[in-house]
């Protein structure tokens, strides 16, 4: 459990309370069960994004799970009266693979020589994939992961260095490696991906400029308070029609688009439209 200093909706003036809501003992997995006033690391968001970017054709990936996570996980928090800000959305954290390595290796490599290792431990279930070594595909999925974080309801969390391509060569548990390879290097060097850094800066500047992406309550699919013919959120399938249960529960569908009614959500723009193509 972590208590982070700051100001926000979770803990009142001066303190936000954030739980890593799981442990090693039975019964300690409590994502979605903390009381009001707490936010939680949402590992279901993490796994939904990782699976959608690296497990198509390997695991069943209906769209419903991804849509729930992009929406701030109302299935976990709305019934308890907790806002989207209760969901700390992330794709990687302080342990596990870095964002760069997640899409460039097929699993951990913790037996590396110094300065990248060796280390012991680390999960065997990173849901990683090298994307067959295709650098264009690797770059695309890295950017897509950041883009999904930037446009999802909830609170985005990234690990320092992931915005510029930090790599630990697939060591996913380098707690004991006090070396230059494991330090955050702020100066420009060959290891930094300046293109990725620019993408990350633009994505989160876009998020900061749109209140609709930072809702104080969960987006509503029904109702039209301002009478402009738009609900707060509308979801579309690949032929342009509205989604239905059959579409988002089908294992073969990997395209979805959504429209937010900016006016109704207090945004400066009347409407925001997003399209996500998960096909390989």
């Amino acid at each position: 459990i972590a208590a982070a200093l700051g100001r926000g909706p979770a803990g009142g003036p001066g303190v936000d309370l954030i739980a890593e809501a799981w442990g090693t003992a039975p019964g300690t997995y409590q994502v979605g069960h903390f009381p009001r006033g707490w936010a939680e690391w949402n590992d279901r968001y993490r796994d939904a994004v990782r699976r959608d970017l690296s497990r198509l054709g390997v695991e069943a990936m209906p769209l419903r799970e991804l849509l729930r996570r992009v929406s701030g996980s109302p299935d976990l928090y709305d019934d308890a009266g907790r806002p989207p800000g209760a969901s700390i959305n992330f794709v990687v954290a302080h342990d596990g693979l870095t964002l760069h390595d997640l899409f460039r290796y097929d699993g951990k490599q913790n037996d590396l020589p110094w300065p990248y290792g060796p280390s012991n431990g680390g999960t065997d279930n990173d849901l990683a994939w090298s994307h067959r070594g295709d650098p264009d595909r690797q770059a695309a999925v890295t950017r897509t992961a950041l883009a999904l974080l930037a446009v999802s309801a909830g609170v985005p969390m990234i690990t320092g260095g992931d915005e510029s391509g930090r790599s630990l060569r697939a060591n996913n548990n380098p707690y004991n490696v006090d070396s230059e390879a494991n330090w955050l290097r702020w100066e420009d060097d060959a290891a930094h991906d300046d293109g990725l850094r620019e993408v990350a800066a633009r994505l989160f500047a876009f998020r900061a400029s749109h209140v609709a992406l930072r809702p104080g309550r969960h987006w509503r699919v029904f109702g039209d308070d301002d009478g402009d013919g738009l609900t707060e959120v509308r979801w579309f399938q690949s032929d342009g029609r509205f989604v239905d249960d059959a579409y988002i529960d089908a294992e073969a569908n990997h395209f979805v688009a959504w429209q937010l009614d900016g006016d109704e959500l207090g945004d400066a723009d009347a409407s925001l439209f997003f399209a996500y193509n998960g096909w390989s």
Side-chain angles (χ1 to χ4, degrees):
I1 297 174
L5 295 180
R7 285 191 179 271
V15 176
D16 288 340
L17 301 174
I18 303 171
E20 184 177 353
W22 55 82
T24 57
T28 57
Y29 184 82
Q30 296 295 325
V31 173
H33 296 148
F34 269 65
R36 293 186 189 184
W38 281 85
E40 304 165 2
W41 284 19
N42 190 345
D43 65 326
R44 291 185 61 178
Y45 183 99
R46 175 198 67 195
D47 291 352
V49 171
R50 289 187 181 193
R51 285 194 167 94
D52 212 74
L53 293 177
S54 294
R55 286 295 186 272
L56 289 187
V58 178
E59 297 183 26
M61 281 301 306
L63 281 166
R64 185 182 295 275
E65 178 69 3
L66 185 66
L67 268 58
R68 284 172 169 167
R69 305 308 146 223
V70 168
S71 300
S73 297
D75 57 318
L76 297 178
Y77 304 113
D78 198 18
D79 286 349
R82 300 172 66 192
S87 178
I88 305 298
N89 301 330
F90 68 104
V91 181
V92 302
H94 64 280
D95 55 1
L97 296 176
T98 67
L99 187 67
H100 174 280
D101 293 352
L102 182 66
F103 302 120
R104 289 165 178 81
Y105 295 87
D106 294 320
K108 69 181 183 182
Q109 296 182 166
N110 290 6
D111 57 352
L112 297 169
W114 191 266
Y116 288 93
S119 297
N120 57 17
T123 181
D124 294 316
N125 190 34
D126 273 305
L127 299 174
W129 185 34
S130 65
H131 293 267
R132 301 190 181 93
D134 181 342
D136 292 334
R137 177 67 182 169
Q138 293 167 344
V141 294
T142 303
R143 285 154 173 72
T144 301
L146 286 173
L148 286 169
L149 273 174
V151 303
S152 296
V155 179
M157 180 179 77
I158 68 172
T159 303
D162 280 344
E163 78 288 347
S164 59
R166 177 175 182 247
S167 175
L168 289 169
R169 299 186 183 179
N171 185 341
N172 75 350
N173 197 39
Y175 68 96
N176 63 325
V177 181
D178 185 9
S179 75
E180 287 190 4
N182 197 21
W183 301 340
L184 286 178
R185 289 168 289 175
W186 301 109
E187 74 281 3
D188 288 334
D189 61 29
H192 283 207
D193 185 337
D194 289 331
L196 177 63
R197 184 161 49 187
E198 178 68 14
V199 167
R202 290 189 176 201
L203 282 169
F204 289 103
F206 177 83
R207 178 183 180 85
S209 69
H210 288 290
V211 175
L213 297 175
R214 310 189 308 276
R217 56 170 172 74
H218 294 278
W219 295 326
R220 292 185 296 189
V221 179
F222 303 106
D224 178 17
D225 289 348
D226 61 4
D228 64 356
L230 299 177
T231 57
E232 288 184 359
V233 62
R234 302 196 297 178
W235 302 89
F236 301 88
Q237 56 191 44
S238 54
D239 61 6
R241 294 181 298 170
F242 295 142
V243 301
D244 54 21
D245 287 341
Y247 185 82
I248 62 175
D249 287 332
E251 295 180 9
N253 296 327
H254 301 291
F255 173 92
V256 69
W258 63 100
Q259 182 181 21
L260 300 178
D261 184 350
D263 287 336
E264 199 160 320
L265 293 167
D267 203 278
D269 287 337
S271 179
L272 292 87
F273 186 87
F274 305 91
Y276 171 67
N277 180 14
W279 296 106
S280 60

